[in-house]
Each structure stands twice: as C-alpha cells, then as structure tokens.
Amino acid sequence: MSQWLNNWTEGAFLLGIAMIIGQVILAIIAFFIARSIGTRLIRGTFSKMERQKNMSAGRVQTLQKLSVNAFSYVLIFVFITIVISIFGLNPTGLIAGAGVVGLAIGFGAQGLVSDVVTGFFLLLEKQIDVDDYVTAGGVDGVVEEVGLRTTQIRGFDGTLHFIPNRDISSVSNHSRGNMRALVDISISYDDNIDYAIAVLQQACDRIAAEDPTIKEGPNVIGVQGLGDSDIVLRIIAKTENMAQWAVERKLRKELKEALDANNIEIPFPHQVYIEK
C-alpha cells in the first residue's frame, strides 16, 4: 500500500511538471503568434494612414517602429505575468513591483525620464522624421531612427550617431522645403560689371532649362562685395531638397567656363609694389 502511494505521488508530480511545461510552451507559442499578428496589424494600419492621410513615408516609418516597440514591451510584460501565474505565483506582486520600479526610475533616473519626455514631444510635434536632413545635438546628418530614448543620425561621412533625446535642445530641419543654392564668383576691377552680370545670367538661364531640380532662378543678384583685388558677384537659386550642393557645384563649373569664353578674368590675389 505504501509503495502504491509513493508511485501515485511520483506520477502526479511528474504529471504536474509535464502540465506546467506544456502550459509554458503554449504561452510561448501564443506570444509569438500574438506578436506576429499585432505587428502585421500595426504595419497595415500605418500603410492605410499613409495612403488616406497623405503622410510622409519618413513619418509613417518613425511612428510604425515606435508602435511596434511599445507593443512588444507590453506583450513581454503580459507573457511574464502569464508564466508567473502558471507556476502558481501571484502576479499582483509583479504589478506592484513594476509600479515601485517605475517610481524609483522616476526619482533616480531623471535623465532617462527626460529622454522619454523629449522624444515624445519630438514625435508629437513632428519636428523630425526618418530620412530628414537635420542638425540636432551638434550633429549634421540624415535621421535613421527616432526613439523615445535616443535619436540615430547618420553623418555624411557614414558615422552613425546615437544622441540622447535630452541633449537635443534645438532642431534645425533642412528637409521641410526647397533649399537655397548660393555661389559667389569674382571678376577683376578692369572688367565691365554689367557685361559680366549679363554673361553670368545667360549661363544661369541655360542651366535652369537643363536641370529639373532647380525650382527658382538662378539669378545674379548683383555685387556682393569689393575685395582687395576682385569684385564679388552673388548668384542665388532655389532647388529641390538635398540637391543644393550638386547645383552649386554645377553653377561654379558652368559660370567659370562662361567667364573664360567671354575673356572675363577671375582674378587671383596679388600685390603691386611701387618704387619711388
């Protein structure tokens, strides 16, 4: 009789362990299924918003990543709570502990809280989006990701900068409209200013007809400065975003060739010594 009871107790123990393991496996499977379904629903929702509300692709990508991360954190917390319940523990203690930890973070990790608050307002006020060219936290580059704690900016040399949101005191967004292309070019004091302006403007008109990224101008606005050995003429154009540097390089080349073709000198610094 005693041996039978021992065998029954051992069998019930093994059955209980098997049931717990089975419940944990089912919880893991349910977690991955829920995460997959939730991620697809979030992406589908933002795809519809992009089509219906004409949201920019960068903003949709930013909010989508943030929503997926938030959903994943909530799902992980629920999964841990379910696993604790499977082992017969009271999840109320976990929830209360999470509240205490949150309070401790609020008092002890003020930098983290500042990061989250700043990141929230960066997103809420639409200050920056993914693929925007910005100056933030003393860094120039293209935004790759905007999170609640850090913002990732890729510099033009390829460096990826991770900037805590609390360090972003001001943002200069260079991707919210047409940009200005500015070129200064010099002529000598011996050349006729009006003739030089006419030559440069003719070249600018030809460039504008050839380059679709130029939205306004280029226009020779006149004399910008009088140097020691040159007269500085300024040319300004409005271009598509991120095309301003290419337009400036093209203007310098074409304007130099136009001046050379019309025998207008681009002077170099020189000094004249007069001996008495």
Side-chain angles (χ1 to χ4, degrees):
M1 183 68 179
S2 175
Q3 185 177 0
W4 180 82
L5 288 175
N6 289 334
N7 292 335
W8 182 85
T9 303
E10 183 179 353
F13 176 73
L14 293 176
L15 180 62
I17 292 178
M19 290 181 62
I20 290 175
I21 293 175
Q23 290 176 348
V24 171
I25 292 174
L26 288 175
I28 293 174
I29 294 174
F31 168 78
F32 284 107
I33 292 175
R35 189 175 69 173
S36 177
I37 294 174
T39 302
R40 289 183 180 180
L41 287 175
I42 291 172
R43 290 175 178 172
T45 300
F46 280 104
S47 296
K48 291 181 180 178
M49 290 176 61
E50 182 178 6
R51 292 192 302 267
Q52 296 174 358
K53 297 185 178 181
N54 294 323
M55 295 177 64
S56 65
R59 176 143 187 88
V60 169
Q61 187 177 356
T62 301
L63 296 177
Q64 179 177 295
K65 285 185 178 180
L66 183 62
S67 300
V68 169
N69 289 336
F71 173 73
S72 298
Y73 294 146
V74 172
L75 200 61
I76 290 172
F77 182 79
V78 173
F79 171 74
I80 293 174
T81 304
I82 293 174
V83 171
I84 289 176
S85 301
I86 291 174
F87 284 97
L89 302 176
N90 187 0
T92 305
L94 175 64
I95 297 174
V100 173
V101 171
L103 186 62
I105 290 176
F107 284 105
Q110 297 181 11
L112 177 61
V113 175
S114 178
D115 287 337
V116 173
V117 172
T118 304
F120 174 77
F121 281 104
L122 285 174
L123 295 170
L124 179 65
E125 298 173 357
K126 303 180 181 180
Q127 297 182 23
I128 56 178
D129 289 327
V130 173
D131 293 331
D132 282 355
Y133 164 45
V134 302
T135 301
V139 175
D140 290 343
V142 178
V143 178
E144 289 207 348
E145 185 174 336
V146 182
L148 285 178
R149 195 181 68 83
T150 61
T151 296
Q152 300 179 26
I153 297 178
R154 178 79 64 178
F156 291 109
D157 62 350
T159 304
L160 182 61
H161 302 274
F162 294 84
I163 304 175
N165 289 333
R166 64 178 177 273
D167 292 340
I168 303 178
S169 58
S170 62
V171 176
S172 300
N173 195 319
H174 310 289
S175 299
R176 295 295 171 85
N178 293 332
M179 297 299 290
R180 185 183 70 177
L182 186 149
V183 172
D184 286 338
I185 195 161
S186 299
I187 63 173
S188 71
Y189 279 98
D190 295 331
D191 290 310
N192 185 288
I193 296 177
D194 292 332
Y195 178 65
I197 290 176
V199 169
L200 294 176
Q201 188 61 56
Q202 184 178 4
C204 288
D205 294 340
R206 185 180 66 255
I207 295 170
E210 297 173 352
D211 194 337
T213 63
I214 298 176
K215 299 303 179 182
E216 182 181 332
N219 295 313
V220 184
I221 62 174
V223 177
Q224 178 63 25
L226 301 175
D228 293 335
S229 58
D230 61 347
I231 299 173
V232 181
L233 303 179
R234 173 157 292 184
I235 298 93
I236 291 180
K238 288 292 184 68
T239 73
E240 289 182 357
N241 200 271
M242 303 294 288
Q244 62 270 25
W245 300 294
V247 170
E248 287 179 352
R249 289 190 291 269
K250 187 173 184 178
L251 281 171
R252 292 188 185 98
K253 176 180 179 295
E254 297 289 340
L255 297 180
K256 166 67 166 61
E257 292 176 351
L259 292 179
D260 289 343
N262 288 272
N263 297 318
I264 299 175
E265 179 187 359
I266 298 179
F268 55 88
H270 59 276
Q271 293 179 339
V272 177
Y273 293 94
I274 300 176
E275 184 178 353
K276 292 185 179 180

